[in-house]
Amino acid sequence: MNLRQLFLQHIAQTSPAPIGLEMVKAAGIYIYDVNGKKYIDGISGFSVANIGHSHPKVIEAVQQQAAQYMHLIVYGEFIEQPQVAYAKLLTEKLPSTLNCVYFTNSGAEAVEGAMKLAKRITNRSKIICFNKSYHGSTQGALSLMGDEYWRNSFRPLLPDIHHVDYNSQDAIDAIDNTTACVILEPVQAEAGVVKPTIKWLQAIREQCNKHCVLMIFDEIQTGFGRTGSLWAFEQSNVVPDILLLGKALGGGMPLGAFIADKRLMDTLSYNPVLGHITTFGGHPVSCAAGKAALEILMENNWINEVEIKEKILVNKLHHPQIKNVNIAGLWAAIELQDFETTQQVAHQCVVNGLITDWFLFATNCIRIAPPLCTTEEQLKAICDIVIKSINEVYSKY
Ligand code: PLP
């Protein structure tokens, strides 16, 4: 059997049509396949490679830490310098109330931890979340999933989960003194890059304050500069009680985190003791990689340049077959006619050397989220490939 056949046989499949390219190398914004063909990573490995792939300083941090020590003990027992140093750096870049980090293995585990923390603190169970939101695939996080199609086969899921529309008055009205937390993305990713109004976010914050409800921001996709500021919430001046990070947090290594005030976080250490246990969460190699990646992000001017690059997306993404484009920073959802067309255009983009995809709840939209280090010229080339691919797909009709 060749590698492709072995992949289909032995690697659990989650879709009938995986992209299925055999990749052998990645550097900067490029990924190379086994035949030497070069692709632009137009989605940053789903919002992970914000500083690009294989940055030499990240590789060095990984190698050094791997040589020193890897896993030693379950989370939180030994003092592990890479964890402490990364938590310090992260909290220096956050408002003073977000001062204590719980590192996890993944984004979904961060969501799980945050939901538990909210229940533990408030002694309430009602959780408000949003239609067309994705927060992860574990059963707690899946309970929050914003569409019954994905939830239904896995019921029973968590009770007392209330789905409401993003940006709606219903969401504000649903928050009451039985609510533990509201969990939301400051820009809804999988809905197709949907922004809320600042007024709405502020109203949610006020209602949470009024009823002593915890406000949780999932910045697993929006974090690390994607929308033009380090954290998307900076653009609204609304500070959450708990912040969720993942994806780019690990600089290419697996890492998630939920971050809150230490007074809140301390409740995980009693009644019960060990309120959240993880073996590999905050792995020292992941923390070393993540810290190096954040330092690289801060040393460069990439976040400031997002505004100019956003304008390039606005100016270049025009075509008679494009129905609409939602943009938030270096992040776009390009709406086409339907899922079938979107699939064909995404496939044609790959043929033309651009990796892209669609969105879970916006299957008629092409996803564009290249690394923040993408130059203006490279970004124009990305837009040109999308337009060319649309033309090629339509020329076949
Ligand atoms: N939250 C958001 C907004 C995400 O986009 C994702 C993953 O795509 C998650 C949570 C779950 O993260 P992970 O895949 O690391 O469990």
Side-chain angles (χ1 to χ4, degrees), residues 1 48 55 96 119 124 135 261 300 328 342 387 394:
M1 278 206 260
V48 172
H55 195 288
S96 60
K119 286 176 162 178
R124 304 168 183 170
H135 297 285
D261 189 90
N300 286 279
T342 305
I387 300 296
Y394 275 91

Side-chain angles (χ1 to χ4, degrees), residues 90-196:
L90 280 167
T91 53
E92 280 167 4
K93 310 223 164 292
L94 287 166
S96 60
T97 47
L98 295 170
N99 53 37
C100 187
V101 182
Y102 192 122
F103 284 118
T104 60
N105 290 283
S106 65
E109 192 193 358
V111 172
E112 299 288 340
M115 284 197 284
K116 285 168 66 184
L117 184 59
K119 286 176 162 178
R120 169 72 182 83
I121 291 164
T122 60
N123 204 21
R124 304 168 183 170
S125 60
K126 176 175 165 184
I127 294 178
I128 295 171
C129 56
F130 292 87
N131 293 324
K132 299 190 181 174
S133 277
Y134 177 68
H135 297 285
S137 265
T138 52
Q139 291 196 60
L142 182 65
S143 308
L144 307 176
M145 182 109 171
D147 192 299
E148 183 59 15
Y149 168 74
W150 277 279
R151 297 188 300 250
N152 195 28
S153 297
F154 305 104
R155 291 196 176 280
L157 293 167
L158 283 184
D160 225 359
I161 305 288
H162 296 251
H163 287 91
V164 283
D165 282 341
Y166 198 66
N167 233 344
S168 71
Q169 182 62 36
D170 281 357
I172 299 162
D173 296 342
I175 303 168
D176 59 22
N177 60 11
T178 66
T179 311
C181 62
V182 180
I183 175 164
L184 72 154
E185 300 159 274
V187 175
Q188 256 198 329
E190 296 306 320
V193 189
V194 173
K195 287 183 186 174

Side-chain angles (χ1 to χ4, degrees), residues 26 32 35 44 69 72 92 111 113 116 157 218 233 248-249 256 262 273 302 305 321 327-328 338 353 357:
Y32 300 81
N35 301 314
S44 307
Y69 61 83
L72 296 178
E92 280 167 4
V111 172
K116 285 168 66 184
L157 293 167
D218 180 340
F233 74 74
L249 174 71
K262 182 166 163 50
V273 65
W302 295 327
E305 290 166 7
Q321 299 301 336
I327 299 178
D338 50 28
D357 212 79

Side-chain angles (χ1 to χ4, degrees), residues 116 120 266-276:
K116 285 168 66 184
R120 169 72 182 83
D266 278 348
T267 58
L268 292 178
S269 64
Y270 60 95
N271 191 26
V273 65
L274 301 170
H276 188 74

